[in-house]
Amino acid sequence: MRALARLAVTTLLVAAPLAAITITTVASAAEDPAPIIVLTSDFEDGTVQGWSGRSAETIAHRTAVTHAGTGSLAVSGRTATWQGPSLDVLDVFEKGTAYTISAWVRMESTSDNARLSVERRTGGVTAYDQVAGNTAVTAGGWVNLTGRYTLATDVEFLRVYVETASTTGSFYIDDVTASYVPALPVQTDIPAVRDAVTSFPVGAAITGAEIVGDHGALLRRHFSSVTPGNALKWDATEPSENTFSYAQADPLIAFAESNGLAIRGHTLVWHNQTPAWVFTGADGQPMTATAEDKELLLARLENHIRNVAGHYGTSIAVWDVVNEVIDENQSDGLRRSSWFNVAGLDYIRTAFRVAREVLPDAKLFINDYNTNVPAKRDKLYALVAQLRSEGVPIDGVGHQMHINVSWPTIAESEAMIQKFIPLGVEQQITEMDVSIYTSSSENFATPPAERLLQQAYVYRDTFALFRKYASEITSVTLWGLADDNTWLDTFPVTRKDAPLLFDTRLQAKSAYWGVVDPSKIPPSPSVSASSSVSASPSGSASPSGSASPSVSVSPSGSVSPSGSASGAAGCAVTYRVTGSWPGGFQGDVKVANIGTAAINGWSLAWQFTGGQQISQLWNASITQSGAAVTTTNTSWNGTLTPGGSASFGFLSSWTGSNPAPAAFTLNGKPCTLL
């Protein structure tokens, strides 16, 4: 059947469906039915099998380099990174079906990051959805790009394509497939989350894929509110100056209203997903901290809020007015975004003032992540206290709560809630999910049963904490509906995560029972439950493996090595580029103690010889002077026992080339580079 399609939505999903979870057992992946394959391009017939270039690049059948069999597709003559092989799937994909798309890719002679994406058009307007994010590909072997994609509504044009992130080198693709696993009915013999949790409303973040078919049925049955995950952000609502579009958001808002679901607006001001024109001055140059640029920027901000917030009016009763403005590594705690660099705190003051004028009855929130980290929490508290003392109409603080199965402790989360009680503001959990991973180096083909049980205990204990503070917590929102559609599949690295209450086939997991009825969580003597809810925080700290919907900056408050810290008796360093794009990249560093004595407090140093400049860092603190970079431990990862290690990640700019550091020193002593 021909799929007319509009707003084909994907949120970067990876890997095959996960096992279904019953009340008392964890089913094996083998119990899932075999996927139904709707598309195969194996290039074994000597043709390009309908694939074509997106521009003037050359697409040709080849036999010299293949993933399997005797044929592959070669792409050469590229002059831009977005150019690559493309295939029409408009007649293949059905609306409301979640497809797993897989392609094998190999570079001809260079190395790069490759992406698997979809191009769609509606009414002549083109949009792009990423299916599988940046994945390192070399000439040394084939790499699989795989992800999930759901058609949400109708479009008139739909093509799958492969592109690269940084170079225009030639590459090959082979053995491309698209498949789906038949849907299971939404369970109607289990309690609805909205009925089991009565202390506060529980919501879910959604895309267009969550309002159709079984996803829509699951959403209606279990949740009381929705948050459009991306559809209300600046790039979606005002892509060019004074040209407003609500094509992505309107269907989500209409679905919510027709089904009696409350709506959280997210977000009016953020440093990410804001078009470049917003920060371009009248002279066509990037804005600086001049009076003229500040006036223009604040005028654009006011116009944006009056239009977007005014468009929805009373339909949206709660807004995240500003999002992620805290950087605890700054002495004043304020993120050095383009907003701040041009307008200082006045952009926050203006945003709340205008939002109150447009929405006199709405609840206006400031929202941030890692607020259970003391340094971040305290800087946010100080900012909110200051602004409220000035009369800025901040009604509430949003805690994102992107956490994992081992971080944070309940005591840390309780201290987070208690911190803001004296301010008299509402508190909401705005973006909660619980990753099954505890570090960037882990990758599971199938979620281990023990991790899923750990996750269930985390949900149990965390919701118990929220219930305890029901007079302070006025809503809890999960950042997604089910495991088939989660941003954690591509951040901080590409791998399949399972952070939500329902699995990839929309069936209730042990995590669901942790929220609804903890007595039904399967027992396991090897799983240790997280800290119980107590009246007073313990003050203990544990590593954060969390990341925010924007690029994360994790716990600071680091402890620099003192003179009593032991030297590096033996150390090894692993340095990886985990993602790259024009002008920037994401890196991951692991430092391991391969000696026989503990290292108490560490300082890792290296030189960037390509002019790279780190802009954000998590799980460590940083100083950079020219090419010299020095990172130091946080308060919780300063001790490296023999055989132990610590990892941290960062974002950096680059120009021209991006050479890896040639050497590292730990506390002044050389390390082995792995």
Side-chain angles (χ1 to χ4, degrees):
M1 186 174 79
R2 184 176 180 81
L4 290 175
R6 175 175 168 267
L7 191 61
V9 177
T10 184
T11 37
L12 318 182
L13 302 168
V14 182
L18 307 184
I21 307 298
T22 69
I23 293 177
T24 57
T25 61
V26 178
S28 70
E31 294 176 11
D32 282 345
I36 296 174
I37 299 174
V38 298
L39 166 69
T40 300
S41 293
D42 57 11
F43 308 109
E44 295 300 292
D45 61 359
T47 75
V48 299
Q49 297 183 348
W51 290 77
S52 61
R54 305 184 69 216
S55 182
E57 65 271 46
T58 299
I59 306 294
H61 180 269
R62 290 287 185 267
T63 58
V65 179
T66 66
H67 171 252
T70 60
S72 68
L73 189 72
V75 188
S76 59
R78 302 168 65 231
T79 58
T81 59
W82 56 266
Q83 294 175 358
S86 169
L87 181 69
D88 184 0
V89 293
L90 186 61
D91 290 332
V92 177
F93 287 3
E94 299 283 349
K95 184 172 68 176
T97 298
Y99 294 94
T100 296
I101 309 173
S102 171
W104 289 88
V105 183
R106 178 173 180 164
M107 300 301 294
E108 182 179 64
S109 60
T110 61
S111 297
D112 204 342
N113 283 290
R115 297 190 291 256
L116 179 63
S117 302
V118 168
E119 179 180 358
R120 54 182 169 86
R121 295 178 193 164
T122 301
V125 178
T126 301
Y128 306 93
D129 300 313
Q130 198 173 98
V131 180
N134 284 344
T135 304
V137 180
T138 70
W142 290 87
V143 174
N144 185 233
L145 304 183
T146 184
R148 292 169 65 92
Y149 189 83
T150 301
L151 288 169
T153 49
D154 294 332
V155 295
E156 67 217 17
F157 176 101
L158 193 68
R159 296 184 73 93
V160 174
Y161 65 94
V162 178
E163 61 183 340
T164 57
S166 304
T167 70
T168 58
S170 300
F171 63 87
Y172 302 90
I173 67 168
D174 200 359
D175 295 324
V176 182
T177 62
S179 62
Y180 70 94
V181 174
L184 290 174
V186 172
Q187 295 158 293
T188 58
D189 58 346
I190 59 175
V193 173
R194 62 193 299 168
D195 296 332
V197 181
T198 58
S199 301
F200 38 74
V202 180
I206 61 171
T207 68
E210 276 70 53
I211 65 173
V212 295
D214 290 333
H215 289 82
L218 187 72
L219 180 62
R220 286 190 298 268
R221 174 171 173 76
H222 286 283
F223 295 98
S224 302
S225 70
V226 298
T227 299
N230 288 294
L232 289 172
K233 292 173 182 173
W234 201 308
D235 58 351
T237 54
E238 194 184 2
S240 58
E241 187 162 14
N242 216 32
T243 300
F244 292 90
S245 173
Y246 305 104
Q248 292 187 45
D250 277 355
L252 308 184
I253 305 304
F255 176 90
E257 291 185 312
S258 65
N259 288 281
L261 302 175
I263 305 161
R264 291 193 85 260
H266 179 81
T267 173
L268 294 172
V269 185
W270 190 28
H271 61 278
N272 279 338
Q273 291 182 242
T274 303
W277 67 261
V278 177
F279 306 113
T280 301
D283 59 358
Q285 298 301 310
M287 287 182 171
T288 59
T290 64
E292 294 78 12
D293 282 349
K294 178 178 179 179
E295 180 181 7
L296 177 59
L297 181 61
L298 295 182
R300 287 172 174 170
L301 172 60
E302 178 167 350
N303 183 61
H304 179 79
I305 294 175
R306 290 193 183 280
N307 278 273
V308 175
H311 177 78
Y312 292 107
T314 57
S315 294
I316 301 179
V318 179
W319 274 96
D320 290 330
V321 177
V322 297
N323 191 49
E324 299 177 3
V325 303
I326 298 297
D327 179 356
E328 67 273 34
N329 295 303
Q330 300 292 338
S331 60
D332 59 6
L334 297 171
R335 181 185 295 277
R336 284 346 189 227
S337 65
S338 295
W339 289 108
F340 182 85
N341 290 337
V342 175
L345 275 180
D346 282 345
Y347 84 93
I348 301 177
R349 297 182 178 108
T350 299
F352 277 97
R353 173 184 59 80
V354 176
R356 174 62 80 229
E357 292 175 5
V358 178
L359 305 167
D361 299 320
K363 297 291 187 179
L364 307 180
F365 275 70
I366 185 170
N367 188 52
D368 222 312
Y369 62 92
N370 281 359
T371 52
N372 36 36
V373 175
K376 186 92 174 243
R377 175 195 72 205
D378 293 347
K379 293 293 177 58
L380 178 60
Y381 175 92
L383 175 63
V384 175
Q386 174 190 338
L387 293 176
R388 279 173 60 87
S389 72
E390 298 173 2
V392 177
I394 300 176
D395 298 314
V397 171
H399 307 288
Q400 292 184 10
M401 290 290 286
H402 294 291
I403 62 178
N404 66 43
V405 294
S406 68
W407 177 87
T409 65
I410 291 298
E412 289 168 328
S413 295
E414 185 167 27
M416 169 192 78
I417 297 170
Q418 290 179 334
K419 178 70 177 183
F420 291 92
I421 293 175
L423 288 179
V425 294
E426 289 190 25
Q427 298 186 61
Q428 294 188 351
I429 308 304
T430 58
E431 305 180 17
M432 184 179 182
D433 45 31
V434 181
S435 173
I436 63 172
Y437 296 104
T438 61
S439 73
S440 294
S441 60
E442 293 182 323
N443 192 351
F444 305 128
T446 301
E450 186 152 315
R451 289 292 175 94
L452 294 176
L453 286 177
Q454 285 180 284
Q455 181 186 68
Y457 289 128
V458 170
Y459 270 112
R460 178 197 68 181
D461 294 346
T462 307
F463 265 74
L465 175 68
F466 298 157
R467 288 180 173 104
K468 175 180 176 181
Y469 286 92
S471 61
E472 307 297 332
I473 302 293
T474 57
S475 80
V476 175
T477 298
L478 301 176
W479 203 244
L481 178 65
D483 287 344
D484 68 330
N485 198 346
T486 168
W487 70 285
L488 288 175
D489 283 351
T490 56
F491 192 92
V493 296
T494 298
R495 60 191 175 186
K496 187 72 195 85
D497 211 327
L500 298 164
L501 305 185
F502 299 92
D503 67 15
T504 58
R505 301 191 71 196
L506 311 188
Q507 304 299 290
K509 298 162 52 182
S510 296
Y512 159 86
W513 292 108
V515 171
V516 170
D517 184 355
S519 70
K520 293 190 169 80
I521 300 175
S524 173
S526 61
V527 174
S528 59
S530 53
S531 305
S532 61
V533 178
S534 62
S536 55
S538 68
S540 61
S542 61
S544 163
S546 74
S548 87
S550 68
V551 178
S552 89
V553 183
S554 296
S556 65
S558 59
V559 178
S560 299
S562 65
S564 61
S566 63
C571 59
V573 172
T574 303
Y575 175 93
R576 295 189 308 136
V577 173
T578 58
S580 183
W581 54 93
F585 72 100
Q586 179 176 328
D588 183 83
V589 179
K590 178 181 179 181
V591 54
N593 181 358
I594 59 174
T596 58
I599 299 172
N600 298 310
W602 52 265
S603 175
L604 186 71
W606 70 87
Q607 296 278 328
F608 267 145
T609 59
Q612 302 98 321
Q613 288 291 315
I614 292 178
S615 58
Q616 297 181 25
L617 187 94
W618 52 95
N619 295 347
S621 290
I622 182 174
T623 57
Q624 182 171 2
S625 177
V629 179
T630 302
T631 56
T632 54
N633 60 273
T634 70
S635 58
W636 46 260
N637 65 3
T639 299
L640 301 180
T641 58
S645 64
S647 297
F648 58 88
F650 63 87
L651 295 174
S652 178
S653 63
W654 64 282
T655 55
S657 63
N658 186 19
F664 291 81
T665 61
L666 186 67
N667 294 347
K669 298 184 178 181
C671 293
T672 300
L673 185 58
L674 300 179

